[in-house]
Amino acid sequence: MAKPTLYTKQGTDKAIAKAIEPLATKEELARASAGGKVDLGEYAKRTDLAPLATRADLAGYATRQQVADLPSRADLAGYATKSDVAGVARTSDLTGLATKAELTGLATKADVAGVAHTSDLTGLATKAELAEALKRVGITVCSTEAEAQSLPDGTLYFLVSGAAPAPSPTPGPAPAAGPTLVASAAGQVVGQTVTIKVDGKAGDKIVIGLNEKAQGTPANLTVPQGWDQIVAPYWVGTMRAVVITGPWAPTVTLTLSQVAEIGWAAASIRGASTIKAGDVKKRQAPPTETTTCTAPALAGAGVVLGFAFERTSAVESSEQVAVSAGWEKLAFASQEGLNYQTVTLARRTGSQPADLVVTYPNPQGSNGLAVQVIAHA
């Protein structure tokens, strides 16, 4: 026997309300008992419900929650349609095509722009036709030297060689334009002869600056034959300087009229036709100098050298003697014992004319002069 279901008062009320919900209300029953009609205009008829879906029809449809993350029509607006991709290649269509890696090293359009097309070769003879033509005029075509050497003496032959032609020799460096400095040197000597050696070769020129201790009877220099004295003996205080130039030789020997204390500096120049000197400036000439010797600027194209001559008993070394900007010190004849004559040789590195200013470590206001020389092509 089924166990009875017990209800509370509230549960009973709810059960009764649910049971009578589809039943007519008191008002509706009152109108019906009074002979009135119930207005069924707002109620649906069976015919109205016929086209509506039943629970069975809706069983296979998705709920709102199930389609919440699916794209809408607006979301798909920018995507391609079937017709849009109808002509696009599939992966299977690309099978057999070369990859970028496989095309690496192959000629581009630009590489083959000047190569002949098949149509360009129309009318040209083939190898076979050329061989036949040569054969008709008595010329044998040989593929190797051995084949050619086996032919009878007097046979005309044409040797087809696959060897690449010998490369053209690499041209040598272009000759330097204008004169160039080759080498320089400096030294001291006490005697009646001065032996000078500077690197060079036949055809070069050499320029030499000599600075001697002045004496009551000067030690005059005998200028070698074929040489030029471009600065005459210039006497300042207790020193006398001279500059000469001539053809280069492995050893240049200069002779004086008597024994003297001599400091010298020399340079060899290649490609010069003439060497000329500029103005000489001594320390006492305005503006007067004490710790410097200035060689006035010399204009012109070529190799420009500067000589500065000084004589002092104060100790000084090459490291203490400096040249002005735009110049390079090439050689320095330093003091040796009581031989106090010094000679500074410098080369102008700038392209524009400029004074050469040689600065010494000790002040001295009388024994000093400087001059520039230029070697023209």
Side-chain angles (χ1 to χ4, degrees):
M1 181 174 178
K3 194 173 181 178
T5 301
L6 300 177
Y7 291 93
T8 62
K9 183 178 184 300
Q10 291 179 343
T12 303
D13 291 341
K14 288 181 180 179
I16 294 172
K18 186 176 181 180
I20 65 174
E21 184 179 0
L23 302 179
T25 64
K26 288 183 179 180
E27 289 79 7
E28 291 172 338
L29 290 174
R31 287 196 297 271
S33 61
K37 294 183 179 180
V38 177
D39 185 8
L40 299 178
E42 295 181 0
Y43 288 86
K45 301 176 182 178
R46 287 182 180 270
T47 55
D48 296 327
L49 300 175
L52 298 182
T54 65
R55 289 180 180 272
D57 294 331
L58 297 174
Y61 286 85
T63 64
R64 286 178 183 271
Q65 185 177 0
Q66 290 173 324
V67 299
D69 295 331
L70 296 182
S72 63
R73 288 181 181 272
D75 296 329
L76 299 175
Y79 287 83
T81 63
K82 288 186 177 181
S83 59
D84 294 331
V85 298
V88 178
R90 299 183 178 89
T91 303
S92 58
D93 298 329
L94 302 177
T95 302
L97 297 184
T99 64
K100 287 186 178 182
E102 292 170 336
L103 294 175
T104 301
L106 299 185
T108 64
K109 289 185 177 182
D111 294 332
V112 299
V115 179
H117 295 270
T118 304
S119 58
D120 298 328
L121 303 177
T122 303
L124 298 181
T126 64
K127 286 185 178 180
E129 291 170 339
L130 286 174
E132 182 62 28
L134 292 172
K135 185 177 180 180
R136 284 199 300 270
V137 295
I139 299 175
T140 303
V141 178
C142 300
S143 301
T144 64
E145 290 187 9
E147 184 181 350
Q149 292 173 357
S150 66
L151 295 173
D153 291 343
T155 302
L156 296 176
Y157 67 90
F158 183 84
L159 178 61
V160 179
S161 175
S168 302
T170 303
T180 56
L181 176 69
V182 179
S184 60
Q188 288 276 16
V189 64
V190 177
Q192 195 171 347
T193 60
V194 182
T195 301
I196 296 173
K197 294 182 179 181
V198 185
D199 290 342
K201 68 178 183 180
D204 293 346
K205 286 187 177 295
I206 187 170
V207 58
I208 303 171
L210 298 174
N211 189 19
E212 66 172 281
K213 176 184 176 181
Q215 305 178 71
T217 301
N220 293 320
L221 171 69
T222 300
V223 179
Q225 187 175 1
W227 286 61
D228 294 319
Q229 183 175 264
I230 57 177
V231 175
Y234 201 109
W235 199 321
V236 176
T238 60
M239 57 168 264
R240 196 171 72 146
V242 62
V243 180
I244 61 174
T245 182
W248 176 89
T251 301
V252 175
T253 302
L254 302 176
T255 304
L256 302 174
S257 60
Q258 63 181 17
V259 174
E261 298 173 3
I262 295 289
W264 62 269
S268 53
I269 300 172
R270 186 163 297 154
S273 60
T274 59
I275 298 178
K276 297 182 179 180
D279 296 330
V280 176
K281 183 187 180 301
K282 61 182 180 179
R283 273 180 164 161
Q284 297 90 329
T288 58
E289 303 172 84
T290 56
T291 59
T292 59
C293 283
T294 299
L298 184 58
V303 175
V304 180
L305 302 175
F307 288 93
F309 306 94
E310 189 203 30
R311 185 174 189 272
T312 178
S313 59
V315 178
E316 58 189 28
S317 63
S318 177
E319 291 74 18
Q320 295 173 305
V321 177
V323 298
S324 51
W327 289 83
E328 173 192 9
K329 185 167 65 174
L330 299 176
F332 181 75
S334 59
Q335 300 162 320
E336 288 186 3
L338 299 179
N339 198 351
Y340 298 143
Q341 291 68 230
T342 68
V343 183
T344 303
L345 174 61
R347 176 177 67 96
R348 191 183 76 191
T349 56
S351 59
Q352 298 300 318
D355 290 348
L356 164 63
V357 180
V358 180
T359 303
Y360 298 89
N362 305 297
Q364 199 268 95
S366 59
N367 298 327
L369 66 88
V371 63
Q372 293 187 27
V373 300
I374 184 169
H376 294 292

